[in-house]
């Protein structure tokens, strides 16, 4: 079974220190839960509320910090679109309209699927991301060509592992529908232009764009550990937990603690990874200065990351 962390690491591979994927998860009927439960949280490290017995969602884009210094799932915080999602395949949208093989296909209710395309490279221009989505809606990749289902760069889709506990399914099935991954092909990736060509979407800029002329995005910085031969550093980089070398000590690196959600005010500072050397018996080291993590060691960090070993650096 494809795990949610596998999905996120493949879909958001190469995410930088300045951007965050975004998730939410909760029990109960999604149509009846409190509105604030849709607010969600940065996905790395994976928050506690992403559970097998919850409705679990991932946004199609990553988001940068706003003027307040916080990552938020808002258009104004858009960084890059990493995913394109087609909803209601098999029920409202015929499968034959899926022109390109998907990176993932998830059955989210009986006979109903969400199709995912992983973007390579991720799209940094919001106007291009929105134009592709609008064009695919116009091409009939929704039930009624008006969407509400796949609209916008802040759009949520369902993570592969979880349940659909809408009341109508609970009543019909006697319990929530347990999702199923029908296709998992994470190395199947497309550029936004390849998807546009496949679905006949015109990506040229309208002459009357006026005040909405496409903005130029600053070049996103690369993650410093991406080319390291240290497997732990590569995995920390893949998940967006790597920050920077700690200049005070050779082989030490500042990282975001995987258990940052347990820290007071979710403070991400005060955590470090140490490369293997003679001083730590070539095992490497991990230290977090927050009280909840005082007993955690390199073995805990390795256990957290071991699930990602199948992902190539």
């Amino acid at each position: 079974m494809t795990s949610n962390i596998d999905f996120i690491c493949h879909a958001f591979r190469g995410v930088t220190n300045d951007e965050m994927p975004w998730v939410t998860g909760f029990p109960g009927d999604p149509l009846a839960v409190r509105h604030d439960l849709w607010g969600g949280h940065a996905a790395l490290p994976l928050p506690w509320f992403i559970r097998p017995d919850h409705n679990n969602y991932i946004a199609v884009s990553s988001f940068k910090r706003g003027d307040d210094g916080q990552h938020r799932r808002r258009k104004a915080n858009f960084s890059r679109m990493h995913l394109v999602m087609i909803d209601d395949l098999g029920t409202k949208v015929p499968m034959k309209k899926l022109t390109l093989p998907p990176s993932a296909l998830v059955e989210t209710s009986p006979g109903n699927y969400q199709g995912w395309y992983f973007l390579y490279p991720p799209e940094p221009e919001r106007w291009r991301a929105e134009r592709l989505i609008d064009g695919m809606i116009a091409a009939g990749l929704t039930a009624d060509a008006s969407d509400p289902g796949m609209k916008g760069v802040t759009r949520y889709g369902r993570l592969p592992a979880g349940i659909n506990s809408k009341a109508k399914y609970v009543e019909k099935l006697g319990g929530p529908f347990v999702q199923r991954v029908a296709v998992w092909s994470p190395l199947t990736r497309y550029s936004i232009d390849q998807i546009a060509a496949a679905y006949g979407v015109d990506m040229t800029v309208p002459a009357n764009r006026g005040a909405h002329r496409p903005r130029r995005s600053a070049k996103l910085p690369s993650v410093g550990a991406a080319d390291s031969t240290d497997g732990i550093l590569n995995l920390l980089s893949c998940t967006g937990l790597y920050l920077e070398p700690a200049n005070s000590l050779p082989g030490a690196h500042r990282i975001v603690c995987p258990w940052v959600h347990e820290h007071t005010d979710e403070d991400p500072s005060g955590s470090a990874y140490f490369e293997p050397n003679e001083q730590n018996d070539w095992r490497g080291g991990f230290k977090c200065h927050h009280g909840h993590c005082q007993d955690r060691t390199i073995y805990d960090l390795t256990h957290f990351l071991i699930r990602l070993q199948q992902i190539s650096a």
Side-chain angles (χ1 to χ4, degrees), residues 263-284:
H263 298 176
T264 302
D265 296 327
E266 299 190 5
D267 180 5
S269 65
S271 302
Y273 165 71
F274 303 92
E275 295 182 49
N277 56 39
E278 293 181 1
Q279 282 68 43
N280 54 44
D281 296 326
W282 301 102
R283 290 175 296 184

Side-chain angles (χ1 to χ4, degrees), residues 109-298:
S109 60
N112 190 72
Y113 297 81
Q114 287 184 348
W116 293 98
Y117 291 132
F118 293 176
L119 291 181
Y120 182 79
E123 179 52 55
E125 297 284 3
R126 198 181 91 192
W127 75 269
R128 279 172 50 83
E130 291 173 337
R131 188 165 182 83
L132 177 69
I133 293 171
D134 290 344
M136 292 180 73
I137 291 170
L141 288 166
T142 61
D144 58 6
S146 64
D147 186 37
M150 58 183 273
K151 190 80 170 177
V153 295
T154 62
R155 170 64 180 161
Y156 279 132
R158 286 182 179 267
L159 281 164
I163 62 169
N164 185 335
S165 55
K166 288 182 179 178
K168 61 180 179 181
Y169 300 125
V170 173
E171 181 178 349
K172 181 178 180 179
L173 303 173
F177 178 80
V178 179
Q179 294 178 182
R180 181 181 69 89
V181 177
V183 173
W184 177 238
S185 183
L187 299 184
T188 300
R189 297 169 178 267
Y190 305 95
S191 70
I192 199 169
D193 292 306
Q194 287 175 313
I195 297 175
Y199 290 101
V201 179
D202 181 6
M203 295 296 291
T204 58
V205 185
N208 62 350
R209 192 169 176 81
H212 299 286
R213 293 176 63 189
R215 60 180 175 86
R216 301 286 295 182
S217 289
K219 184 178 180 181
L220 291 166
S222 59
V223 177
D227 298 322
S228 171
T229 57
D230 185 305
I232 296 296
L233 282 179
N234 283 330
L235 288 175
L236 289 166
S237 178
C238 170
T239 57
L241 298 178
Y242 184 84
L243 294 176
E244 61 186 0
N247 296 327
S248 59
L249 187 64
H253 303 266
R254 291 183 59 243
I255 66 172
V256 175
C257 175
W259 300 278
V260 66
H261 58 280
E262 298 179 7
H263 298 176
T264 302
D265 296 327
E266 299 190 5
D267 180 5
S269 65
S271 302
Y273 165 71
F274 303 92
E275 295 182 49
N277 56 39
E278 293 181 1
Q279 282 68 43
N280 54 44
D281 296 326
W282 301 102
R283 290 175 296 184
F286 168 73
K287 181 63 177 176
C288 177
H289 294 286
H290 291 267
H292 287 91
C293 300
Q294 61 182 355
D295 295 325
R296 287 184 167 127
T297 69
I298 186 61

Side-chain angles (χ1 to χ4, degrees), residues 19-183:
E19 56 187 348
M20 273 288 177
W22 202 264
V23 293
T24 193
F26 44 77
D29 186 349
L31 301 179
V33 298
R34 301 192 322 266
H35 179 73
D36 63 289
L37 290 177
W38 287 100
H41 195 278
L44 301 173
L46 203 61
W48 67 269
F49 52 71
I50 301 299
R51 298 164 44 109
D53 57 348
H54 281 187
N55 300 275
N56 299 316
Y57 299 86
I58 181 85
V60 298
S61 306
S62 59
F63 301 91
K64 59 189 177 183
R65 297 182 190 275
D67 293 338
D68 59 359
Q70 301 297 314
H71 292 97
R72 300 187 188 279
R73 177 179 152 262
R74 295 175 179 170
K75 282 188 177 183
N77 294 70
F78 172 80
S79 180
R80 295 188 288 176
M81 186 167 76
H82 298 252
L83 295 160
V84 173
M85 189 269 285
I86 301 175
D87 204 2
D88 292 327
L89 285 162
T91 53
K92 300 175 182 178
V93 178
M95 279 288 187
K96 64 182 180 181
K97 287 195 173 184
L98 199 64
T99 303
L100 294 173
S103 308
L105 186 67
V106 181
E107 188 176 16
T108 58
S109 60
N112 190 72
Y113 297 81
Q114 287 184 348
W116 293 98
Y117 291 132
F118 293 176
L119 291 181
Y120 182 79
E123 179 52 55
E125 297 284 3
R126 198 181 91 192
W127 75 269
R128 279 172 50 83
E130 291 173 337
R131 188 165 182 83
L132 177 69
I133 293 171
D134 290 344
M136 292 180 73
I137 291 170
L141 288 166
T142 61
D144 58 6
S146 64
D147 186 37
M150 58 183 273
K151 190 80 170 177
V153 295
T154 62
R155 170 64 180 161
Y156 279 132
R158 286 182 179 267
L159 281 164
I163 62 169
N164 185 335
S165 55
K166 288 182 179 178
K168 61 180 179 181
Y169 300 125
V170 173
E171 181 178 349
K172 181 178 180 179
L173 303 173
F177 178 80
V178 179
Q179 294 178 182
R180 181 181 69 89
V181 177
V183 173

